[in-house]
């Protein structure tokens, strides 16, 4: 049995970075050009290569995904109420509040932990203008059913695709679904540019409006066409993104191997449920969540403490629910009785460490701790 005594921390995720020697030539180009931002050469090249890699038509790079979400809502002129999930990172709902939009929470599917399409229609009111689902853990939502509902009621769909970099569903990139999809390149994500994000869209006219909005609304030197914000990605982040694209497929392969090792090691452990595929053709293995059920010897929080005591920094993604935070819990849709599945599973979920440089010995140590 591996040594379980405290040692250096094992984080739930860790950024995969190229060697500094590889990055220095890119930095030297930035130093020589003196172009640091405002759609410089690295920014333009990164947009082109990223569109090609992801298989999408149009992309607008951002300083981070939260500003991307805020801008996506502005770009489509969303108002009133938006139906969304309580089971996500707070930025999903915060982007709505920042736009003066009322979030309406509906419950999640017990198998995928994504927004349950069967619950959406009952939540639609005359004030509903859009749906904002999340591809939770990178597993695709039921995009066809969500689109059918949106078309029936004349609603826009903006996907929070923060976890879904590189994911492919039954018809290609999952990012092509919805009116817009928003990616995150935060340090915790499978693809990182230190900080960063992007909006994916299929329409050039909308992409142009997005580009105006992320640059204070400027259409040219003297013309401001919208109350924009500063959401631009810098040349430093774009340069790193270009370099990161070279190793992303290898990183996915390493993540897949760790995922498989966990599943084999935990297959016969009673009381632990590993989340399954949601039908994706290509998975990015962004997270490895388990659900700690009543027949497991420890409660979820006791298991969390056990790991923490041994310097394994597992995380309870997502707990508490967004709907339980002070700025949301007064909403009628935030009531626990309206969200029984999300409330139950948020009390069970635990995300285990997964990142390309995680050693097999460390994975085995975590498996042995779970086996008791």
């Amino acid at each position: 049995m591996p040594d379980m005594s405290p040692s250096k921390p094992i984080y739930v995720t860790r950024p995969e970075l190229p060697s500094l020697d590889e990055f220095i030539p890119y930095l030297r180009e930035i130093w020589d050009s003196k172009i640091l931002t405002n759609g410089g050469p690295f920014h333009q090249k990164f947009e082109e290569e990223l569109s090609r890699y992801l298989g999408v038509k149009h992309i607008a790079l951002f300083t981070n995904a939260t500003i991307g979400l805020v801008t996506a809502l502005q770009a489509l002129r969303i108002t009133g109420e938006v139906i969304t999930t309580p089971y996500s990172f707070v930025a999903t709902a915060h982007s709505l509040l920042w736009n003066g939009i009322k979030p309406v929470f509906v419950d999640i599917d017990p198998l995928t932990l994504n927004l349950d399409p069967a619950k959406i229609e009952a939540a639609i009111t005359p004030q509903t203008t859009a749906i904002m689902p999340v591809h939770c853990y990178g597993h695709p939502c039921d995009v066809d059913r969500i689109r059918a509902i949106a078309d029936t009621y004349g609603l826009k769909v903006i996907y929070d695709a923060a976890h879904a970099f590189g994911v492919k569903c039954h018809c290609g990139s999952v990012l092509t679904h919805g009116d817009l999809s928003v990616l995150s390149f935060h340090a915790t994500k499978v693809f990182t540019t230190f900080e960063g994000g992007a909006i994916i869209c299929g329409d050039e006219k909308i992409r142009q409006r997005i580009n105006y909005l992320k640059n204070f609304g400027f259409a040219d030197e003297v013309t401001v066409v919208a109350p924009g914000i500063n959401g631009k990605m810098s040349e430093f982040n774009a340069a790193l993104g270009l370099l990161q694209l070279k190793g992303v497929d290898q990183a996915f392969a390493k993540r897949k191997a760790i995922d498989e090792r966990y599943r084999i090691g935990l297959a016969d452990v009673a009381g632990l449920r590993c989340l399954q595929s949601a039908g994706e053709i290509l998975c990015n293995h962004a997270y490895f969540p388990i659900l700690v059920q009543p027949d497991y010897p420890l409660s979820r929080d006791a298991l969390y403490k056990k790991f923490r005591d041994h310097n394994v920094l597992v995380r309870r993604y997502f707990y508490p629910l967004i709907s339980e935070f002070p700025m949301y819990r007064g909403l009628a849709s935030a009531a626990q009785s309206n969200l029984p599945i999300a409330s139950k599973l948020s009390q069970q979920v635990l995300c285990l460490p997964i990142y390309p440089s995680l050693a097999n010995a460390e994975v085995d140590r975590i498996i042995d701790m779970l086996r008791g």
Side-chain angles (χ1 to χ4, degrees):
M1 179 177 290
D3 178 16
M4 294 186 186
S5 59
S7 57
K8 66 178 182 178
I10 300 176
Y11 296 98
V12 75
T13 189
R14 192 176 182 184
E16 187 76 359
L17 296 173
S19 73
L20 189 56
D21 288 343
E22 289 181 281
F23 193 37
I24 285 173
Y26 291 71
L27 293 177
R28 195 166 285 124
E29 284 191 49
I30 294 171
W31 249 252
D32 290 343
S33 73
K34 303 295 188 292
I35 298 172
L36 307 184
T37 185
N38 287 354
F42 278 112
H43 182 285
Q44 293 175 39
K45 190 174 181 183
F46 182 38
E47 274 197 350
E48 291 169 7
E49 294 201 12
L50 190 59
S51 294
R52 191 177 303 116
Y53 176 84
L54 293 173
V56 299
K57 285 185 179 179
H58 303 296
I59 191 166
L61 297 174
F62 272 78
T63 186
N64 60 59
T66 303
I67 297 297
L69 286 169
V70 169
T71 305
L73 291 159
Q74 283 280 326
L76 296 182
R77 297 178 171 88
I78 303 301
T79 59
E81 297 177 356
V82 171
I83 294 170
T84 191
T85 174
Y87 192 85
S88 181
F89 185 63
V90 290
T92 305
H94 281 359
S95 69
L96 298 170
L97 286 194
W98 272 69
N99 278 287
I101 297 165
K102 179 182 177 181
V104 176
F105 299 111
V106 302
D107 212 355
I108 60 174
D109 181 276
L111 298 180
T112 66
L113 280 60
N114 286 326
L115 196 65
D116 186 349
K119 303 288 172 44
I120 292 175
E121 280 193 88
I124 295 172
T125 74
Q127 287 72 48
T128 306
T129 56
I131 307 167
M132 185 183 279
V134 177
H135 299 300
C136 192
Y137 308 127
H139 298 302
C141 294
D142 191 335
V143 292
D144 292 333
R145 288 180 69 192
I146 290 171
R147 170 46 62 195
I149 294 167
D151 287 348
T152 298
Y153 291 91
L155 306 177
K156 299 294 187 181
V157 179
I158 298 174
Y159 279 103
D160 182 337
H163 300 172
F165 184 94
V167 173
K168 293 183 179 179
C169 61
H170 59 288
C171 56
S173 172
V174 75
L175 303 174
T176 61
H177 291 279
D179 295 278
L180 300 173
S181 288
V182 182
L183 281 171
S184 173
F185 307 145
H186 184 260
T188 59
K189 300 300 186 287
V190 296
F191 178 89
T192 178
T193 59
F194 294 161
E195 282 276 10
I199 299 179
I200 311 297
C201 58
D203 181 85
E204 173 57 29
K205 186 177 179 181
I206 292 295
R207 187 181 80 112
Q208 185 60 71
R209 174 166 165 77
I210 289 167
N211 281 335
Y212 290 152
L213 286 168
K214 77 173 184 183
N215 187 30
F216 305 101
F218 278 103
D220 58 41
E221 189 176 348
V222 296
T223 307
V224 176
V225 296
I229 197 168
N230 185 5
K232 302 183 300 296
M233 176 180 279
S234 79
E235 286 290 273
F236 295 91
N237 302 102
L240 179 62
L242 272 171
L243 188 53
Q244 291 283 67
L245 278 176
K246 296 180 180 181
V248 69
D249 289 335
Q250 184 181 11
F252 284 173
K254 290 178 179 177
R255 286 176 171 274
K256 181 179 180 182
I258 294 168
D259 182 288
E260 290 172 350
R261 196 175 189 92
Y262 274 134
R263 291 182 190 279
I264 291 168
L266 300 176
D268 62 346
V269 180
L272 294 183
R273 177 187 142 201
C274 298
L275 208 64
Q276 300 301 311
S277 161
E280 56 266 43
I281 305 303
L282 177 64
C283 181
N284 66 11
H285 305 284
Y287 296 86
F288 194 88
I290 58 171
L291 296 172
V292 184
Q293 299 179 315
D295 51 335
Y296 188 72
L298 298 175
S299 69
R300 189 277 306 274
D301 287 346
L303 181 58
Y304 171 84
K305 184 177 186 306
K306 175 182 174 180
F307 273 118
R308 289 281 170 143
D309 288 346
H310 289 90
N311 234 357
V312 180
L313 306 184
V314 296
R315 296 294 298 268
R316 292 168 291 190
Y317 287 150
F318 291 98
Y319 166 85
L321 296 176
I322 296 174
S323 51
E324 294 173 356
F325 289 114
M327 63 288 302
Y328 301 107
R329 63 187 177 213
L331 297 171
S333 66
Q336 194 174 75
S337 58
N338 185 54
L339 308 166
I341 303 298
S343 298
K344 174 185 173 183
L345 298 185
S346 74
Q347 298 284 342
Q348 295 182 350
V349 72
L350 203 63
C351 281
L352 304 182
I354 184 167
Y355 48 87
S357 60
L358 186 65
N360 284 342
E362 293 173 320
V363 176
D364 291 343
R365 176 184 167 211
I366 293 164
I367 290 169
D368 279 333
M369 290 179 70
L370 287 165
R371 295 181 69 88

